[in-house]
Amino acid sequence: MVRFGHIAGDRMLDLVNTVAWRLGGPERLEALKTFSDVVEWCIESDLLSTDEAAALHDLAGRDGARAEREREQVIEARERAYGALFDDDPEAAADLASMYRAAIAAADLVHTGGRWQWQDRDADLRLPRNRIVRGLVTLTQRDDLDRLHQCEDAKCGWVYLDTSPRRNRRWCNTKDCGDRNRARAYYARQKAKSHQP
């Protein structure tokens, strides 16, 4: 069963969307409430194998405090990426770069399966964070970030790559935010008509 939304066109943007109602103030809801949630998101996003996940669940069971710190650092990395991409925040970008330096220091660049990739040296509780941070930096280097868009719902805040031919996608999900906002606009028009003399 898929627990997380995968609508953004890039798995790292899907990570940014692990907050519901990002712009909704007190309505904001965190989806990554536990280290286990982080691991589950990584499995869904093909960042961890099931064997790696099982080992991480075991490690987290033995050191819950450290697992919680790792969860918090994943959220910090997610928020730094959001700040860099959507607020053009140089401090957020610098923080993400610092996290990236630590993430690549924990891995080796190896040639496997016909391509070069990072291979983590240790399967410890830092593993999800390191893979996520490397993915977030890769996201910032995409050539199509001019298609980066944020849902136009006033509270949603979900993000995505607008791959529509006319680049006019307004909502993260037309069946959710799109329908709700179209209905809201319709009722506002009807109300305005009823108040006309």
Side-chain angles (χ1 to χ4, degrees), residues 9 14-16 18 38 53-54 62-63 72 74 76 88 119 142 146 148 152 161 163-164 168 175-176 191:
D14 289 327
L15 177 73
V16 173
T18 54
V38 171
R62 287 189 265 140
D63 193 346
E72 289 168 357
V74 164
E76 184 180 344
D88 201 19
Q119 186 175 77
R142 285 184 65 126
D146 59 323
L148 200 56
E152 294 180 21
L161 291 169
T163 56
S164 63
N168 62 349
K175 296 283 184 212
D176 188 0
K191 188 174 181 182

Side-chain angles (χ1 to χ4, degrees), residues 67-108:
E68 172 58 17
R69 285 195 301 277
E70 285 299 323
R71 180 195 75 87
E72 289 168 357
Q73 289 187 318
V74 164
I75 289 171
E76 184 180 344
R78 178 192 71 193
E79 295 307 301
R80 293 299 178 265
Y82 176 84
L85 291 168
F86 288 91
D87 298 330
D88 201 19
D89 180 346
E91 192 175 314
D95 288 346
L96 187 59
S98 177
M99 294 175 189
Y100 180 71
R101 284 188 287 277
I104 60 173
D108 297 308

Side-chain angles (χ1 to χ4, degrees), residues 109-117:
L109 191 60
V110 297
H111 191 252
T112 57
R115 64 189 186 104
W116 290 93
Q117 59 188 10

